[in-house]
Amino acid sequence: MTYAPHDSSVRTGRTARFLAARSLKLHRKAWAAVFAVLVLTSLVLGGFALATLSAVAGHARVERYAGAAAVVTGDQSTRYTVKALGETHSTSTELTERVRVPRSVLPRIAAVPGVRAAVADDAFPVAISAKPTSTSSAAPSSDPKATPDPETTSAPIYGHSWQAAALAPFTLREGSAPTGPRQVVLDGHLADRAGVRVGDEITVQSLGAPATYEVRGIAAPKGQGDRTGLGHQGAVFFTDQRARQLAGHPGSTDAIGVLAEPGVSDEKIHAGVRAALDGADPARSVTAGQRYKEDSTALRVLTGDSRGEPEFLDAAPSRWSLLQLLGSVCALIVMIAVLVVAGTVAQAVHQRAREMALLRAVGATPGQLRATVSREVRTVAVVAAVTGAVGAVPVFGLLLRLLRSRDAVPAGLELPTPWWLYAVPLLTAGLTVLVAWIAGTLSCRRIARVRPAQAMGEAQGEPERPGRGRTVTGLVTLFLGVASAGTAVLQFGEVAAMAASTAAVTLVIGCALLGPWIARGALRVLGAPARRLGGAGGYLAAAAAQANSRRLGAAITPIVLMVAFVTVQLSGGATLDRQGGRQGEDAVRADLAVVADGPGITEETANRVRRVPGVAAASGVLHSTVVLARDDLGDPRLDRLPVLAVSPAALPRVLDPGVVEGDTAKLGRGTVAVGKDRARSLGLGIGSAVTLRYGDGANVSLRVAAIYERSLALGDFLFATEELAPHMAAPLHSRVLLGLDSPAGRVQAAVQRVLADSAPGARLVPDPAGEQREAEDRGVGEVITVVAVSVIGGFTVIAVLSTLTLIMIGRRQEIQLLRLVGAGRRQIRRMLRIEAAVVGLSGLVVGAVVALVPLIALSLPLAGTLPYLPPAQAGVIVAVVAVTVAAGTLLPVWPTLRRRHAAGPGRR
């Protein structure tokens, strides 16, 4: 009888359905392990995909400009373009200091049809201390509506003009508007928090000397019910003239809020203001003459959610840092998931080699076997992926809460969750199903292709060694990993870090491909000690492990993966932090430090402290960022780097950067000191010129005055205060370092008296802590590292447990046979314990070696030291591996060992 192709496909489908249904019932435990891995894969991928896309849609929160139809501000980004091989590549990054707007454009904007008012707004940090003058203000209000929530208790406080209060809009809750230079209005939340009422006096510390003001009124945002403040920032309103004086830049303003006439749309306002600014004489930002040639100097007109950008300047840089780290973790999770899922599915299919060989022998076609396995995998994968997709939503919520609780997401960054976002886990579920299906198809490909007689022969035992293609690929991958590590040792800076990261990934992939060979080599090394020390159990363990090296290689691979990745993640940051902390402690030579809980310490206070008798040297410490543009093999890079500024006259009495060339005394206008590694990477020497972009976008060429070695603590560039301060929105010192030439007790009393007058709330700290640069993405990096380590650990635990469980389930007949030929329970238990020790020890050693190669390549050029891993973290890694391997080896065969067998009923 001749069958049409359609009939053949129908028969294959029916056979596959029948076999798949029977197999799923028969091999429940094997598919349960695959189910667990796929659930975790879909769960984690869905949660991180939600977080990543939420960050993509993120924007700065609109608070202070909620009542404005549009906001005019400078362009807070800088650009860089590189031409290579006939192609043009561009990149951009955000600036962290204010790009201001000239006040001269106010009449242009106010004259636009539909504009009710154009209001200049300056935001300058202030600190207040209350001086109540009435008994009613002696304690905070008991009004429950005025009770601050924890999220806003430590909110920063900014000064504004009273005219700018209309932008929120604020309206008076009680009292009146300020009319004199010593009168202010407080926002209601701030007033309640400080226990201040109308008529009280407060001391306000801004960018200049502190002064006493009378509280003339208390305001609240209009139409916000029982809310008494903005929530994420406190506000103190001065008269317009006083606010301009305190802001310190009377010819410019931070932003201009545009209030619209009733009924005028935001789109019409945007078009009108844009046309007015782009007229015959286009308006430019204040730093237009200093910007890089590719930067836009035109003023921006922001509407909608974009209005929050000038309020929270750190929101955009933080969002991009969060995006980059989440993206890298997603890529890492995808790679690990592919390895783990492929290994688990392959092991589940391999356990059925004899069954599939028998089916081939009785006439099953290769297509029927592939279709059977494919249907089984799809059935399990679909249910697991959907289950994981449902759980991805709470995982996403937990991840956001963790990021916010660790201050990894700034208060001004809004991470929205639109309705369409929750369809993303379905896409990651589809990806999970696809990965599982491909892994299952590849796993059964070989056994489905061989001839029936050959299949029966191969099913009696596994092949002695992996395929030639897999071996060659693994060796090539290992070679590339070692080569990348060698490149990292010879390089420096970001190039070294990228090469070390590439080395870690390629080495792990190489070890995954060469898992059977690694297991075989480990067993040869550990086999002799096992035979000598383990007695009969050791002999059995060595023999069984040698015969099943491929299966043990499948169990060792996820352990290697976990140990390598977790060690690299933990040790890389710990090594740099440890060396940076040492450099910071060595750099600080000061005897005392002045610190403040508020926005910072003014240069005026630093000058007054410097004149105190007994103070030999004093220097404030400014923190800001610069942008370095560079061509990375035809790829444009803009690196935003944290930097410090100090008083050159006080170096190295209070802060010693470890100068190796030049002299920091020559720091000043137009000069800079450069870290040794950065100078080497840029080819700089004393007198060389380096071009940097300050946080406000100013593009300047600076002469190198000195080269120093403590760059892990102090950053790659060190400035004089007078060079960096003009490019900062609020040049306030994080602390002032003091070097003394008189007894500390006498000097402390004199400095305290100065601080009481010039910086209320500031205090003296003896033996100051080491200086440390403030990386803007440090909080995000710490959280992502913890999450990534947890995810990798979870994947590994499930992978090792499932792989070992499948292996031990497949060995039950072997163990029963050992019992029948006379092996006792105790001997078999010892055999299994020795096997577990061999697997765990092999995975730990190989994983540690794989991690050590890129870590040495990373730590030597960047930190000049060997890698460091905290002992407690190393102990946790060893304990997790030991418990997981022991559970996966001993628990599956426990019921088999408890049964009595006819050949040896009394043996133990």
Side-chain angles (χ1 to χ4, degrees), residues 58-120:
H59 58 83
R61 184 178 289 107
V62 182
E63 291 185 353
R64 201 167 71 240
Y65 300 130
V71 179
V72 178
T73 183
D75 192 334
Q76 289 287 153
S77 62
T78 185
R79 297 163 183 80
Y80 183 49
T81 300
V82 169
K83 293 183 178 180
L85 301 177
E87 296 184 358
T88 301
H89 304 276
S90 298
T91 187
S92 64
T93 191
E94 300 298 319
L95 300 171
T96 57
E97 302 290 352
R98 183 78 61 180
V99 179
R100 294 194 173 95
V101 179
R103 286 181 177 267
S104 58
V105 301
L106 279 169
R108 288 199 210 182
I109 300 173
V112 172
V115 172
R116 175 163 55 90
V119 181

Side-chain angles (χ1 to χ4, degrees), residues 351-366:
Q351 291 296 114
R352 300 166 51 195
R354 294 176 179 173
E355 172 189 323
M356 296 177 70
L358 179 60
L359 290 173
R360 286 287 288 128
V362 298
T365 65

Side-chain angles (χ1 to χ4, degrees), residues 476-525:
V476 171
T477 306
L478 284 182
F479 173 77
L480 293 176
V482 175
S484 296
T487 301
V489 173
L490 298 176
Q491 297 297 325
F492 29 82
E494 292 82 0
V495 177
M498 292 176 61
S501 177
T502 302
V505 173
T506 52
L507 286 172
V508 168
I509 295 175
C511 289
L513 294 171
L514 298 176
W517 289 109
I518 293 173
R520 187 181 294 271
L523 295 170
R524 285 183 178 178
V525 173

Side-chain angles (χ1 to χ4, degrees), residues 692-718:
L692 298 174
R693 306 179 195 188
Y694 287 114
D696 63 350
N699 187 66
V700 295
S701 179
L702 302 169
R703 182 174 54 82
V704 177
I707 296 176
Y708 57 93
E709 61 181 355
R710 294 185 176 126
S711 56
L712 283 180
L714 306 182
D716 290 328
F717 298 98
L718 187 64

Side-chain angles (χ1 to χ4, degrees), residues 263-335:
V264 180
S265 67
D266 293 351
E267 292 78 9
K268 184 176 180 180
I269 292 295
H270 181 278
V273 173
R274 184 75 273 163
L277 295 176
D278 296 339
D281 181 20
R284 304 297 181 191
S285 60
V286 172
T287 56
Q290 299 175 287
R291 297 294 294 269
Y292 181 63
K293 60 183 180 180
E294 295 179 10
D295 287 359
S296 172
T297 58
L299 300 180
R300 301 177 65 201
V301 182
L302 309 177
T303 58
D305 290 337
S306 299
R307 293 171 298 167
E309 292 180 15
E311 294 188 52
F312 301 99
L313 292 184
D314 59 342
S318 298
R319 186 173 76 91
W320 282 113
S321 298
L322 181 62
L323 264 176
Q324 292 172 354
L325 288 171
L326 284 174
S328 64
V329 172
C330 283
L332 179 64
I333 290 173
V334 169
M335 188 190 73

Side-chain angles (χ1 to χ4, degrees), residues 16-35 38 348-349 352 355 371-383:
R17 282 196 297 271
F18 174 77
L19 293 176
R22 297 298 298 270
S23 178
L24 286 173
K25 293 180 180 179
L26 182 63
H27 302 287
R28 289 191 300 270
K29 293 182 178 180
W31 289 117
V34 175
F35 181 86
L38 294 176
V349 174
R352 300 166 51 195
E355 172 189 323
T372 298
V373 173
S374 177
R375 182 174 292 274
E376 293 178 44
V377 171
R378 286 202 308 269
T379 302
V380 174
V382 168
V383 178

